[in-house]
């Protein structure tokens, strides 16, 4: 049995089927002896399954030539023609998800970037919502039943004091939350909520050093809408397919509670 030091990279290799067979027993033993890495392996496996489930209807379809060319850098993509840049990111994620979860992370964060930070936040939030809001079994990493741990864990990971807003008055109950990548090196918290009819909305929160902005964002091709704001070091977006007035009311409530939580 081969013995060597394993790392997080080996988790991705194992997930992608690229770990040499002679190293498998040593790798499995390493996972069993490292609870943190074993948890990461389980999370990455669930994320991969969620990706495949979310895009099950298109995984076998050929990638349009214009998207493949843009992904490979063979053609320029104008912002005016691609206002819905997150769809390009999602398409790239599908292409790369076939080859591994690490590709998915790069796809979400690295394609179609501009200096428009508020749009980037909205696009990342929508992309995450599309993937996880549709997932039934693995939508969240920590359930609402463990709310105190959820808030502490996400606050520590994102580097912001995070209080999960109570949106019961808006008809939504907390399902739970998860940790996501954001930008090139950052982390984001995603909180998922659901109403009595099964309609889901999500709150995406990450750190923003200086920007101040607010607005709404929807891809030209349709889909969920994001109400976002950047203020007091927070970059947040509430995403859903609700009527604009209702989504705005939910976002206002969530925003107020997040800011109130800073001083609590």
């Amino acid at each position: 049995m081969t013995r060597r030091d394993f790392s997080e990279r080996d988790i991705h290799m194992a997930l992608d089927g690229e770990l040499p067979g002679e190293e498998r027993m040593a790798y499995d033993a390493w996972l069993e002896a490292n609870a943190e890495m074993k948890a990461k392996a389980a999370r990455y496996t669930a994320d991969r399954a969620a990706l495949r489930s979310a895009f099950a209807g298109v995984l076998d379809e050929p990638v349009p030539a214009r998207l493949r060319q843009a992904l490979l850098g063979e053609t320029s993509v104008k912002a005016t023609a691609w206002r819905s840049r997150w769809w390009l990111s999602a398409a790239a994620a599908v292409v790369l998800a076939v080859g591994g979860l690490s590709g998915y992370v790069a796809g979400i964060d690295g394609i179609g970037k501009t200096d428009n930070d508020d749009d980037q936040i909205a696009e990342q939030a929508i992309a995450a919502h599309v993937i996880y809001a549709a997932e039934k079994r693995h939508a969240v990493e920590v359930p609402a039943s463990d709310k105190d741990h959820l808030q502490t864990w996400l606050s520590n990971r994102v580097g912001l004091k995070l209080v999960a807003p109570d949106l019961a008055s808006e008809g939504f109950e907390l399902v739970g939350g998860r940790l996501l990548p954001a930008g090139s090196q950052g982390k984001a918290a995603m909180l998922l909520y659901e109403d009595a009819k099964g309609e889901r909305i999500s709150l995406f929160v990450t750190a923003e050093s200086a920007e101040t902005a607010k607005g709404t964002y929807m891809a030209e091709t349709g889909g969920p809408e994001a109400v976002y704001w950047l203020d007091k070091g927070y970059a947040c977006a509430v995403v859903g397919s609700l009527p604009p007035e209702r989504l705005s009311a939910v976002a206002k409530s969530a925003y107020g509670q997040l800011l109130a939580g800073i001083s609590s």
Side-chain angles (χ1 to χ4, degrees):
M1 180 173 65
T2 302
R3 295 185 179 276
R4 66 175 178 84
D5 292 331
F6 291 95
S7 68
E8 188 171 345
R9 178 176 179 272
D10 294 292
I11 296 177
H12 293 292
M13 291 180 65
L15 185 62
D16 298 343
E18 297 177 354
L19 188 71
E22 64 271 17
E23 296 183 356
R24 187 73 205 197
M25 290 181 63
Y27 168 78
D28 290 339
W30 172 74
L31 274 188
E32 289 300 323
N34 292 271
E36 182 179 357
M37 289 301 176
K38 186 176 181 179
K40 283 187 177 182
R43 187 171 78 242
Y44 295 158
T45 300
D47 288 345
R48 182 185 179 92
L51 267 173
R52 289 185 175 277
S53 175
F55 295 106
V58 297
L59 276 176
D60 295 328
E61 295 181 4
V63 178
R66 65 181 184 278
L67 293 185
R68 185 181 296 277
Q69 290 169 354
L71 178 61
L72 298 177
E74 296 173 356
T75 185
S76 61
V77 180
K78 295 182 180 179
T80 54
W82 284 95
R83 171 61 177 169
S84 53
R85 288 188 303 276
W86 78 272
W87 283 113
L88 177 57
S89 298
V94 174
V95 174
L96 294 171
V98 176
L101 182 65
S102 57
Y104 148 66
V105 174
I108 290 293
D109 290 329
I111 296 176
K113 280 196 171 185
T114 70
D115 292 332
N116 199 338
D117 290 339
D118 47 346
D119 276 5
Q120 286 184 32
I121 294 299
E123 289 165 353
Q124 290 181 60
I126 291 174
H129 181 87
V130 168
I131 292 171
Y132 292 110
E135 180 63 31
K136 299 303 181 185
R137 296 187 61 184
H138 302 289
V140 299
E141 291 179 279
V142 180
S145 58
D146 202 0
K147 183 178 177 181
D148 289 342
H149 169 64
L150 172 65
Q151 293 179 145
T152 301
W153 174 59
L154 290 177
S155 295
N156 290 338
R157 291 295 185 271
V158 177
L160 296 168
K161 185 174 182 180
L162 183 62
V163 176
D166 182 351
L167 301 178
S169 62
E170 303 295 336
F172 286 92
E173 297 293 337
L174 180 67
V175 175
R178 66 167 48 247
L179 186 67
L180 296 170
S184 59
Q185 308 250 343
K187 298 176 182 178
M190 177 182 174
L191 298 175
L192 190 66
Y193 293 81
E194 185 175 83
D195 68 8
K197 296 180 179 179
E199 183 73 31
R200 288 179 168 181
I201 61 169
S202 60
L203 172 62
F204 184 93
V205 185
T206 189
E208 170 56 50
S209 59
E211 292 290 330
T212 299
K214 63 180 179 179
T216 60
Y217 181 93
M218 177 186 287
E220 287 185 351
T221 49
E225 181 177 4
V227 178
Y228 64 85
W229 62 94
L230 286 70
D231 192 19
K232 300 185 184 299
Y234 288 76
C236 314
V238 173
V239 182
S241 298
L242 305 176
E245 298 79 8
R246 188 182 181 201
L247 186 63
S248 179
V250 172
K252 183 177 181 180
S253 176
Y255 174 57
Q257 292 183 58
L258 277 175
L259 291 187
I262 297 176
S263 57
S264 63

